[in-house]
Amino acid sequence: MNFIDYFSLLDPIKLLKNIPGGIAQGILWGIMAIGVYITFRLLKVSDLTVEGSFATGGAVSAMMITNGVSPFASALLNTLGINVVQGTSYPAGFALVISALAGVLCGLCTGLLHCYLGIPAILASILTQLALYSVNLHIMDMAANVAVSVDKYDLVVSGRFIPKAILFGALISAVLIAVLYWYFGTEQGSAIRATGNNPVMSRAQGIDIDHMKLIGFALSNGIVAFAGGLVAQYQGFADINMGRGASVIGLAAVIIGDALTEVLSHNRPNFSFRLACVILGGIVYYSVVILVLWLRLNTNDLKLFTAVIVAVFLAIPYIKEQRTSSFAKFRKGGKNNA
């Protein structure tokens, strides 16, 4: 097939129709990326727990909407003082709250392994992620996936109603950014940021950095699991593997968001603007995915394209710095010769 025949098969109308769906997914995954931002940018640690906690959020959300809770989850929640009745269906909004709490527990597991047992953060997160695979199977009553149809249940978001999903996702994003902007301006939030910037100096100032890291891991994975619950409702099912690649997608959104921050803000941007750019990064990422699918490229190469996108955006600041340094050296050398 030559290029003329190839481009003749591409339908611009189909691309325009698919863009709103990409925006909706980008917003929901952008919320997940904000959780990744907390550990990756603020705490300066690599947390792979998100691949497990994202699926945990989806599993908890789907099960609570369809079948109430499993015996395993019921016992766990009742132990925490959250009274739930096994076999009773709960509203989608309440299911999202429980999803976030389940994510907090996932983050606490990683935080305890890292902060109080001395296991490196990336290894602690891998161990938690590994354990969560079995936990998620128990939550879903040993089923690989659980369907949650918008025809049977009143869901918060659904892929069948994309404009509503975009509007609600944007509203949730705005509220989340406002809350995080307020929280990280408090004494405790500032302590978390200081812990990531300079843990030695933070400890010298009397900050319990282990405690701050524990809070950061819990908050991050709570947001990730909340996003997992949203995505499960949007796509109409929760799957045991729905979190696979979530850390890469979240990282891509964060990196793209950083690049957008540099482009859109000439002055020093504030924290809320950076978080908003993370959401935009998620939208850009999924817009690229929609474009790849529209171009009829092999869907099995999506992971490859993701890796290339992340690598390019990671390299941009380094290349920019190198060019600046080279020109500075050139100007300096010219002055010395003169």
Side-chain angles (χ1 to χ4, degrees):
M1 180 184 296
N2 56 40
F3 284 105
I4 297 177
D5 294 334
Y6 169 73
F7 283 107
S8 66
L9 295 175
L10 302 179
D11 185 4
I13 304 298
K14 184 177 180 180
L15 175 63
L16 294 176
K17 289 182 179 179
N18 290 336
I19 286 177
I23 293 174
Q25 290 189 74
I27 293 174
L28 300 182
W29 282 86
I31 294 174
M32 184 275 297
I34 288 180
V36 175
Y37 183 90
I38 292 174
T39 51
F40 184 69
R41 284 295 186 222
L42 299 186
L43 289 181
K44 303 293 193 302
V45 296
S46 299
D47 181 20
L48 298 181
T49 312
V50 297
E51 303 212 359
S53 59
F54 186 81
T56 300
V60 170
S61 178
M63 288 300 294
M64 292 201 68
I65 293 172
T66 57
N67 300 316
V69 294
S70 67
F72 177 83
S74 176
L76 179 61
L77 291 172
N78 288 327
T79 301
L80 297 173
I82 303 173
N83 295 323
V84 294
V85 181
Q86 185 181 339
T88 301
S89 179
Y90 288 91
F94 180 73
L96 290 175
V97 174
I98 301 302
S99 296
L101 293 176
V104 169
L105 292 177
C106 298
L108 288 176
C109 289
T110 300
L112 290 172
L113 290 173
H114 171 56
C115 300
Y116 297 104
L117 294 181
I119 301 175
I122 190 168
L123 294 181
S125 63
I126 290 174
L127 290 174
T128 304
Q129 175 202 104
L130 184 65
L132 284 176
Y133 186 88
S134 297
V135 172
N136 293 337
L137 280 175
H138 282 288
I139 292 175
M140 294 192 293
D141 273 342
M142 306 309 292
N145 53 71
V146 175
V148 50
S149 174
V150 69
D151 296 324
K152 295 182 180 179
Y153 307 101
D154 186 16
L155 303 181
V156 173
V157 292
S158 172
R160 297 261 296 274
F161 307 102
I162 292 178
K164 179 183 176 181
I166 294 175
L167 181 62
F168 184 82
L171 179 62
I172 289 294
S173 300
V175 172
L176 178 61
I177 290 172
V179 171
L180 290 177
Y181 180 76
W182 166 81
Y183 173 71
F184 282 105
T186 63
E187 183 177 352
Q188 187 179 82
S190 298
I192 293 175
R193 296 166 69 180
T195 298
N197 285 330
N198 194 329
V200 176
M201 181 61 70
S202 299
R203 190 187 297 274
Q205 294 296 322
I207 297 175
D208 187 345
I209 63 173
D210 288 335
H211 185 61
M212 294 301 106
K213 287 182 180 180
L214 193 64
I215 295 174
F217 278 115
L219 179 61
S220 169
N221 285 279
I223 295 173
V224 168
F226 178 80
L230 284 172
V231 171
Q233 293 186 32
Y234 177 84
Q235 63 189 13
F237 66 92
D239 188 86
I240 190 64
N241 293 315
M242 66 182 291
R244 182 173 296 176
S247 59
V248 177
I249 296 174
L251 179 61
V254 170
I255 298 303
I256 295 173
D258 287 344
L260 291 174
T261 301
E262 296 296 327
V263 172
L264 299 176
S265 176
H266 298 291
N267 299 322
R268 185 176 181 180
N270 61 24
F271 184 65
S272 61
F273 186 79
R274 291 185 181 276
L275 293 180
C277 284
V278 172
I279 300 292
L280 290 177
I283 295 175
V284 170
Y285 171 80
Y286 265 92
S287 297
V288 172
V289 171
I290 293 296
L291 180 62
V292 168
L293 295 176
W294 178 72
L295 291 173
R296 296 174 176 267
L297 300 178
N298 192 339
T299 55
N300 294 323
D301 294 334
L302 280 177
K303 300 294 185 184
L304 173 62
F305 290 123
T306 299
V308 171
I309 292 170
V310 174
V312 168
F313 279 95
L314 278 172
I316 287 175
Y318 175 78
I319 295 174
K320 184 178 179 181
E321 182 180 355
Q322 289 295 107
R323 290 185 59 187
T324 303
S325 300
S326 298
F327 283 125
K329 292 178 180 178
F330 177 77
R331 289 194 300 268
K332 184 178 180 180
K335 291 180 181 179
N336 292 334
N337 292 333

